[in-house]
């Protein structure tokens, strides 16, 4: 037995890093809500994306940290420098790969996600798959406020194009996505949406 409190094991260190990351993201997203009727706290999404990863057997700490931080730069005042300083370059790089350039037009951002995804690192592809899996499941539960059937349809077709570009990365995540796109049909509130243009 080592002297308690003086020696911190690697596992304890990893737990502390993980909690630091969740605390950081929770503070950054604290004023943000999801677009559902209940206005769910936004932080539920990055935590859920990280859970999709561990459920699929991804335990690499930097990948889990990047999942928790993946929307901070895009949607809050956070900078990449801040992330690098607190969590290191590895985490920063994965977050950067998953961050859209919000100065561009929405259609261009969407087009670039489809174009860039096949060229991302394995870690960033895993985060992408887990992110879209979470958002598609969220839509199945309840579409964002004000979304028409056409908007749901457009999102499903786009999300499939993005996740198709990350295939060959994680079998469990891909199987869960396959279930959602089952036989090319996304079911939501008794309606059937196609998954291909
Ligand atoms: N399904 C769902 N989505 C919600 C909700 N609240 C916020 N979102 C976010 O909305 C995005 C989809 O809406 P879009 O119209 O495509 O994009 P927008 O955010 O630019 O309006 C998703 O982002 P994304 O581009 O797919 O990825 P990311 O930004 O999360 O990384 C998702 O994270 C919600 O209640 N349900
Ligand atoms: Mn996200």
């Amino acid at each position: 037995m080592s002297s308690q409190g003086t020696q911190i094991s690697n596992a304890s260190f990893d737990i502390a890093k993980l909690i630091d990351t969740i605390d950081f993201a929770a503070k950054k997203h604290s004023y943000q809500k999801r677009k559902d009727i209940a206005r769910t706290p936004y932080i539920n999404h990055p935590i859920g994306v990280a859970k999709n990863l561990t459920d699929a057997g991804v335990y690499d700490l930097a990948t889990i940290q990047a999942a928790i931080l993946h929307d901070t730069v895009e949607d809050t005042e956070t900078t990449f420098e801040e992330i690098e300083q607190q969590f290191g370059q590895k985490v920063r790089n994965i977050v950067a790969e998953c961050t859209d350039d919000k100065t561009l037009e929405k259609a261009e951002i969407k087009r670039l996600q489809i174009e860039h995804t096949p060229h991302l690192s394995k870690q960033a592809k895993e985060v992408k798959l887990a992110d879209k899996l979470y958002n598609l499941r969220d839509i199945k539960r309840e579409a964002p406020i004000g979304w028409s059937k056409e908007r749901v349809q457009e999102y499903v077709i786009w999300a499939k194009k993005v996740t198709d570009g990350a295939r060959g990365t994680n079998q469990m995540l891909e199987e869960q996505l396959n279930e959602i796109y089952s036989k090319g049909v996304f079911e939501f509130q008794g309606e059937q949406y196609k998954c291909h243009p």
Side-chain angles (χ1 to χ4, degrees):
M1 288 274 151
S2 63
S3 52
Q4 273 187 347
T6 52
Q7 265 198 336
I8 302 176
S9 69
N10 284 343
S12 306
F13 191 65
D14 283 359
I15 291 170
K17 275 212 267 187
L18 186 59
I19 295 298
D20 266 355
T21 312
I22 296 169
D23 181 60
F24 178 94
K27 285 172 179 155
K28 292 292 191 182
H29 287 296
S30 62
Y31 299 107
Q32 258 184 300
K33 309 272 187 231
R34 296 285 285 172
K35 301 176 195 163
D36 58 350
I37 293 166
R39 307 311 316 267
T40 304
Y42 196 86
I43 190 64
N44 284 27
H45 166 64
I47 292 174
V49 173
K51 178 171 157 56
N52 281 346
L53 288 171
T54 52
D55 283 350
V58 178
Y59 300 114
D60 174 61
L61 184 57
T63 309
I64 301 301
Q65 287 178 288
I68 290 162
L69 299 168
H70 82 274
D71 279 331
T72 54
V73 177
E74 205 172 284
D75 295 335
T76 78
E77 295 294 294
T78 314
T79 64
F80 290 125
E81 290 70 30
E82 218 179 335
I83 290 186
E84 180 163 348
Q85 207 181 11
Q86 293 229 26
F87 307 110
Q89 200 181 20
K90 211 162 137 188
V91 175
R92 176 223 169 108
N93 289 346
I94 305 169
V95 173
E97 287 187 275
C98 297
T99 299
D100 295 331
D101 179 353
K102 283 281 186 98
T103 64
L104 301 174
E105 290 204 354
K106 202 161 155 177
E108 180 66 356
I109 292 175
K110 298 239 158 207
R111 193 188 66 75
L112 285 174
Q113 276 209 32
I114 298 167
E115 194 177 294
H116 288 161
T117 299
H119 310 290
L120 298 179
S121 66
K122 177 173 185 272
Q123 290 89 335
K125 281 182 183 168
E126 286 169 339
V127 174
K128 276 280 196 231
L129 289 169
D131 184 24
K132 293 294 178 269
L133 177 61
Y134 185 101
N135 286 335
L136 287 161
R137 282 187 176 150
D138 224 11
I139 290 176
K140 260 187 180 288
R141 185 180 61 80
E142 170 194 319
I145 296 171
W147 277 31
S148 62
K149 284 180 188 171
E150 290 71 29
R151 184 111 185 243
V152 171
Q153 177 63 84
E154 210 177 295
Y155 186 87
V156 172
I157 288 176
W158 171 73
K160 181 159 191 310
K161 283 184 188 166
V162 175
T163 56
D164 278 353
R167 291 216 173 249
T169 305
N170 180 293
Q171 206 184 338
M172 278 168 91
L173 289 172
E174 289 163 47
E175 275 169 12
Q176 290 173 78
L177 281 162
N178 286 345
E179 261 175 52
I180 287 191
Y181 309 128
S182 73
K183 298 191 184 81
V185 176
F186 178 87
E187 290 208 31
F188 168 59
Q189 288 188 339
E191 302 270 347
Q192 296 204 328
Y193 296 84
K194 56 185 181 173
C195 300
H196 301 279

